[in-house]
Amino acid sequence: MSSSAKVLDPAFQGVGQKPGTEIWRIENFQPVPLPKSDHGKFYMGDSYIVLQTTPSKGGSYLYDIHFWIGKDTSQDEAGTAAIKTVELDAVLGGRAVQHRELQGHESDKFLSYFKPCIIPLEGGIASGFKKPEEEEFETRLYVCRGKRVVKLKQVSFARSSLNHDDVFILDTQNKIYQFNGANSNIQERAKALEVIQFLKEKYHEGTCNVAIVDDGKLDTESDSGEFWVLFGGFAPIGKKIATEDDVIPETTPAKLYSITDGEVKLVEGELSKGVLENNKCYLLDCGAEVFVWVGRVTQVEERKAASQVSEDFIAGQNRPKTTRMTRVIQGYETNSFKSNFDSWPAGSAAPGGEEGRGKVAALLKQQGVGVKGMSKSAPVNEEVPPLLESGGKMEVWCINGSAKTPMTKEDIGKFYSGDCYIVLYTYHSGDRKEDYFLCCWIGKDSIEEDQKMAARLANTMCNSLKGRPVQGRVFEGKEPPQFIALFQPMVVLKGGLSTGYKKSIADKGLTDETYTADCIALFRISGTFVHNNKALQVDAVATSLNSTECFLLQSGSSVFTWHGNQSTYEQQQLAAKVAEFLKPGVALKHAKEGTESSAFWFALGGKQSYTSKNASIETIRDPHLFTFSLNKGKFEVEEVYNFSQDDLLTEDSLILDTHAEVFVWVGHSVDTKEKQNVFEIGQKYIDMAASLEGLSPNVPLYKVTEGNEPCFFTTFFSWDSTRAMQLHLFDIMLRSSLWNTGARKLIPEEGGIALWG
């Protein structure tokens, strides 16, 4: 066995084989597994390693490793945690993203594993700490910050700790008080209630009383009076005083350093992906965050050394404690890392889980590292996604100049590439009276004027329906399942009917190929289910054929159906359905591959060779939820990790990226101007993600308003429609005088809103 293999700790044997959280505490400079019952308990005198294993839609596992450093831990223990993190990554195949977490400055991603919060405990393994149940109860005052994940910090139990801007929790033996600063954030008030419920169950056996105290409202005979007595009586409180913990590191222009023999050297010139060599490690300094980039073929010892160099780099520059440090492996870079480069080629996203895992594991094996506990990708079966309820009312309009022309019932389902359309589908979902799906379909050859007019008229229609419709923008060739399923069949034809399109063709001196009932036309029949059945007119030549599909050939009054030898029964059925749709009552001539007539080949201009390969299947990606902001004109996003329905706050707009679709969700209380700019915001995100993640620029884009979420949006959440209404009412109560008249006895808990007293 080589020396490299010996450095891997046996405590990491068989890790990462199933989804969830695994934790080790550093004891005597060795990682010791922590039992599930102790997850979420972090002692200030210790250091920990946390592995989060997440299944991806591609069938493989994604890994995040965090090493948490308590404020009272020794430097040696902290260093051990950092080194052991590299070893753990090697066991996983060298592809995990690694994060350093300092007590009190934990990342949102880390905190999302331990909802509603973590409460660091006094002591540590070296000091022979007592278990919490052995300790005498101590009254504690906490400041509670964060809209989605809570950052809870213990502060001195003194009036001077209070201020008008924050929410505080005073935990006494018999009662828990929540003090809401007059200027505090309404969402932080709601999160504080979740923390109170957690404290009540964990440290009070669920029996203590709870009280809400509002800043500036004194009632000596109420909970407010009791609260102030604990602080020695009521007196004015001061303004919030900034501390070192409140310092937000300034984001600076990124600087890249190579790491060689324990030293960093500035890399001059443009920041581009091509600068990064796969046998080296680099440090990317962004001010607020420092990244360590690890080349795919670097040795384990080099990776350990790079981690130590980055620690020394931050310490040597006296950076604020809130400075983030993240280590990424080549091929698995995060968006926040890639966004700092002038050039990061589109489509250069991480390799497929199994492919990338195999390459990295093979390299580590060459170094003598035994890579175990590695799960194989499960085969991905095609699933029918949630679709809109059938039986609704369908209306379609074709854009022509400044007008929209209604399509006849017989023509609904025909889309010309040179045109734009507005689709309005009215349907019933559950007990709701009416729901609306309003979409613009943009042909690939349509003119810009028609595209803008379609968007303008669709907005007018949406406003006339009081903003209730799910509003979408769909490009030809990227139609989502719920759109295709509404048209059975859906046929995309060459050419266009709008006056603007025909003028643009004439101006360019091009031949108008608009489909007619008596022309020669070839249609490719694709798909296997109702959500992907579509017919597309292609060039009427033999090279367009494919053995894996069915085709429909129209030649004057004759119509042939051609069945490829590898085509499915569903495709063959759809071919007949499309023929009846285009030419009702026509008698079909069947041509199985290899038995074609001379008339068939004559219509295609002669027999030629064609392919028998399946069309490439787009990589399946996991959904991600983001908040967004415009910072000095720059569009920036921040991910909401381990997201749930509760993260959809009524004051916010959020972006849900499923890779196949992009949704902008808009809360009830969002600013009116922001509501009007939803599609511009969505486009900014698509432009950014297209350059960093290889997202298609033509991905479907939807606007979804709170309370009108469709099934194909809610499927990405553990959705409870009754909870959505409860949370909305809860939010109204938080904002109103109801909160001070008994409604404050409501608290959100798992599965709904419960009473407490």
Side-chain angles (χ1 to χ4, degrees):
M1 183 181 287
S2 73
S3 59
S4 295
K6 294 176 183 177
V7 301
L8 298 186
D9 201 289
F12 300 140
Q13 185 72 26
V15 300
Q17 295 193 28
K18 57 184 179 180
T21 308
E22 297 173 78
I23 304 178
W24 297 262
R25 180 170 56 215
I26 303 300
E27 300 181 10
N28 299 318
F29 306 108
Q30 294 298 322
V32 176
L34 212 60
K36 290 280 185 186
S37 58
D38 286 340
H39 283 199
K41 294 179 183 177
F42 293 90
Y43 286 87
M44 301 180 189
D46 291 331
S47 293
Y48 297 78
I49 296 173
V50 176
L51 168 65
Q52 185 70 15
T53 302
T54 308
S56 72
K57 285 191 173 294
S60 61
Y61 284 143
L62 305 175
Y63 299 109
D64 284 278
I65 305 174
H66 306 254
F67 58 101
W68 185 90
I69 301 171
K71 70 179 184 64
D72 299 326
T73 194
S74 70
Q75 188 172 349
D76 289 339
E77 279 194 347
T80 299
I83 295 301
K84 292 295 180 181
T85 294
V86 178
E87 292 183 24
L88 173 56
D89 178 41
V91 174
L92 296 168
R95 61 197 178 103
V97 178
Q98 296 177 27
H99 316 261
R100 183 187 65 159
E101 308 286 352
L102 296 182
Q103 180 187 332
H105 306 285
E106 295 88 355
S107 66
D108 285 359
K109 189 166 198 172
F110 179 82
L111 293 172
S112 72
Y113 309 146
F114 305 102
K115 290 182 178 180
C117 66
I118 63 170
I119 303 177
L121 304 168
E122 296 283 352
I125 189 71
S127 60
F129 58 83
K130 292 181 180 181
K131 294 182 179 179
E133 55 267 25
E134 297 172 348
E135 297 176 351
E136 291 185 13
F137 188 89
E138 177 187 344
T139 297
R140 289 185 170 95
L141 181 65
Y142 302 97
V143 61
C144 187
R145 294 172 182 158
K147 292 168 63 177
R148 289 184 173 82
V149 293
V150 176
K151 296 189 177 180
L152 197 70
K153 179 186 175 184
Q154 186 176 350
V155 293
S156 298
F157 176 27
R159 183 189 292 109
S160 58
S161 296
L162 302 174
N163 63 61
H164 302 293
D165 299 308
D166 289 319
V167 178
F168 294 83
I169 295 173
L170 179 62
D171 187 10
T172 72
Q173 190 155 14
N174 298 316
K175 186 177 282 191
I176 305 175
Y177 298 85
Q178 175 174 328
F179 176 81
N180 296 326
N183 304 324
S184 60
N185 182 284
I186 190 168
Q187 300 300 341
E188 289 182 339
R189 297 184 186 189
K191 281 294 176 184
L193 289 173
E194 294 180 24
V195 174
I196 287 175
Q197 184 71 1
F198 171 73
L199 292 171
K200 181 179 176 182
E201 297 297 332
K202 195 171 184 70
Y203 299 110
H204 297 269
E205 299 180 345
T207 59
C208 73
N209 293 321
V210 179
I212 306 295
V213 177
D214 291 317
D215 184 10
K217 296 179 181 177
L218 176 63
D219 184 344
T220 56
E221 296 181 0
S222 69
D223 297 327
S224 175
E226 289 180 4
F227 175 81
W228 288 110
V229 166
L230 294 170
F231 286 91
F234 177 79
I237 58 175
K239 293 183 179 180
K240 182 177 180 178
I241 300 174
T243 65
E244 181 188 358
D245 291 348
D246 297 315
V247 175
I248 299 175
E250 184 180 352
T251 299
T252 59
K255 294 181 181 179
L256 184 68
Y257 300 84
S258 62
I259 302 175
T260 308
D261 298 328
E263 296 191 1
V264 297
K265 181 181 178 182
L266 182 65
V267 177
E268 303 285 354
E270 180 187 78
L271 278 182
S272 68
K273 184 187 178 188
V275 172
L276 304 170
E277 299 179 36
N278 65 1
N279 62 343
K280 290 184 178 180
C281 295
Y282 294 83
L283 186 149
L284 182 70
D285 181 12
C286 307
E289 186 166 15
V290 172
F291 295 92
V292 178
W293 183 90
V294 177
R296 193 170 57 242
V297 298
T298 52
Q299 304 286 323
V300 172
E301 292 304 321
E302 291 177 275
R303 299 178 184 198
K304 289 182 180 181
S307 291
Q308 186 57 53
V309 166
S310 60
E311 292 278 356
D312 296 341
F313 180 86
I314 293 175
Q317 299 204 3
N318 295 318
R319 297 289 179 89
K321 290 181 179 179
T322 46
T323 303
R324 309 228 53 77
M325 189 174 82
T326 306
R327 198 214 70 160
V328 295
I329 189 77
Q330 181 183 2
Y332 296 91
E333 297 88 351
T334 61
N335 280 348
S336 54
F337 175 84
K338 292 187 287 189
S339 65
N340 292 288
F341 286 74
D342 299 323
S343 172
W344 198 278
S348 57
E354 196 65 18
E355 176 195 358
R357 181 187 72 85
K359 288 180 179 178
V360 177
L363 289 164
L364 290 169
K365 190 173 182 180
Q366 292 172 11
Q367 301 173 29
V369 176
V371 180
K372 297 184 179 181
M374 302 283 287
S375 62
K376 291 186 177 180
S377 296
V380 179
N381 296 320
E382 183 174 14
E383 297 179 0
V384 178
L387 304 174
L388 298 175
E389 283 79 358
S390 59
K393 178 184 178 183
M394 173 65 73
E395 297 171 274
V396 181
W397 296 266
C398 181
I399 301 302
N400 191 5
S402 60
K404 61 182 197 295
T405 304
M407 303 290 290
T408 63
K409 184 178 180 180
E410 294 74 24
D411 284 337
I412 289 179
K414 295 177 184 176
F415 295 86
Y416 286 86
S417 290
D419 292 335
C420 294
Y421 297 80
I422 296 176
V423 174
L424 176 62
Y425 182 63
T426 306
Y427 63 103
H428 295 275
S429 175
D431 296 331
R432 294 167 63 90
K433 186 178 179 181
E434 282 179 329
D435 279 305
Y436 304 96
F437 177 80
L438 176 64
C439 216
C440 291
W441 185 90
I442 310 297
K444 66 181 178 64
D445 299 322
S446 61
I447 62 173
E448 186 177 355
E449 289 82 355
D450 283 352
Q451 295 174 15
K452 289 180 177 179
M453 183 55 64
R456 193 175 303 128
L457 294 175
N459 282 335
T460 300
M461 291 174 68
C462 186
N463 291 335
S464 69
L465 294 169
K466 300 179 180 179
R468 285 189 56 203
V470 174
Q471 192 175 351
R473 184 195 67 190
V474 172
F475 287 97
E476 177 187 342
K478 298 294 290 184
E479 295 89 356
Q482 58 275 4
F483 184 89
I484 295 174
L486 295 176
F487 306 95
Q488 289 302 305
M490 175 181 174
V491 183
V492 179
L493 305 163
K494 287 191 172 189
L497 304 177
S498 82
T499 304
Y501 167 77
K502 291 191 176 296
K503 183 177 184 302
S504 71
I505 290 294
D507 290 346
K508 295 174 183 176
L510 300 175
T511 302
D512 188 354
E513 295 184 282
T514 300
Y515 170 81
T516 60
D518 57 356
C519 68
I520 295 178
L522 183 65
F523 298 89
R524 184 177 72 228
I525 312 298
S526 61
T528 52
F529 297 102
V530 66
H531 67 279
N532 57 22
N533 281 340
K534 188 174 70 169
L536 174 67
Q537 186 179 357
V538 295
D539 292 339
V541 291
T543 53
S544 295
L545 299 174
N546 187 318
S547 298
T548 65
E549 296 173 314
C550 288
F551 286 79
L552 194 70
L553 175 62
Q554 173 186 303
S555 177
S557 59
S558 299
V559 177
F560 300 85
T561 59
W562 185 86
H563 298 166
N565 287 332
Q566 300 173 47
S567 65
T568 65
Y569 176 67
E570 288 80 10
Q571 289 171 329
Q572 295 167 19
Q573 284 188 311
L574 181 61
K577 194 173 183 178
V578 171
E580 181 65 23
F581 180 52
L582 293 175
K583 296 180 76 73
V586 70
L588 293 176
K589 298 181 179 180
H590 299 287
K592 194 174 188 304
E593 184 177 3
T595 65
E596 302 87 350
S597 65
S598 57
F600 177 86
W601 291 120
F602 179 79
L604 292 178
K607 187 175 182 179
Q608 297 182 64
S609 59
Y610 50 84
T611 186
S612 59
K613 294 181 180 179
N614 278 307
S616 59
I617 299 174
E618 190 171 340
T619 304
I620 299 174
R621 302 285 178 84
D622 295 289
H624 296 273
L625 186 69
F626 301 93
T627 61
F628 58 86
S629 61
L630 281 171
N631 186 8
K632 297 179 181 178
K634 182 182 179 182
F635 182 75
E636 296 178 348
V637 298
E638 187 172 336
E639 184 161 3
V640 179
Y641 298 103
N642 297 309
F643 64 84
S644 69
Q645 183 180 354
D646 290 348
D647 291 311
L648 302 175
L649 304 179
T650 191
E651 295 180 323
D652 289 346
S653 295
L654 296 99
I655 293 170
L656 176 66
D657 177 5
T658 73
H659 202 74
E661 296 157 317
V662 171
F663 301 85
V664 182
W665 181 90
V666 184
H668 281 303
S669 304
V670 167
D671 177 73
T672 303
K673 185 177 180 181
E674 187 173 309
K675 288 180 179 178
Q676 294 171 346
N677 295 329
V678 162
F679 282 94
E680 288 84 349
I681 290 166
Q683 189 59 52
K684 285 180 184 293
Y685 172 80
I686 291 171
D687 293 342
M688 181 188 73
S691 64
L692 297 179
E693 277 289 287
L695 185 70
S696 169
N698 291 338
V699 66
L701 175 62
Y702 290 109
K703 171 186 176 181
V704 176
T705 56
E706 183 180 1
N708 298 301
E709 296 87 353
C711 59
F712 56 90
F713 174 84
T714 60
T715 188
F716 297 102
F717 301 80
S718 295
W719 196 266
D720 181 349
S721 56
T722 60
R723 182 160 175 75
M725 179 56 70
Q726 288 171 340
L727 290 173
H728 180 52
L729 292 172
F730 181 58
D731 179 73
I732 292 173
M733 290 174 182
L734 277 172
R735 297 166 185 274
S736 71
S737 58
L738 287 171
W739 185 250
N740 296 310
T741 59
R744 65 186 184 193
K745 300 238 180 239
L746 288 167
I747 187 168
E749 62 174 23
E750 195 71 30
I753 292 183
L755 288 168
W756 49 253

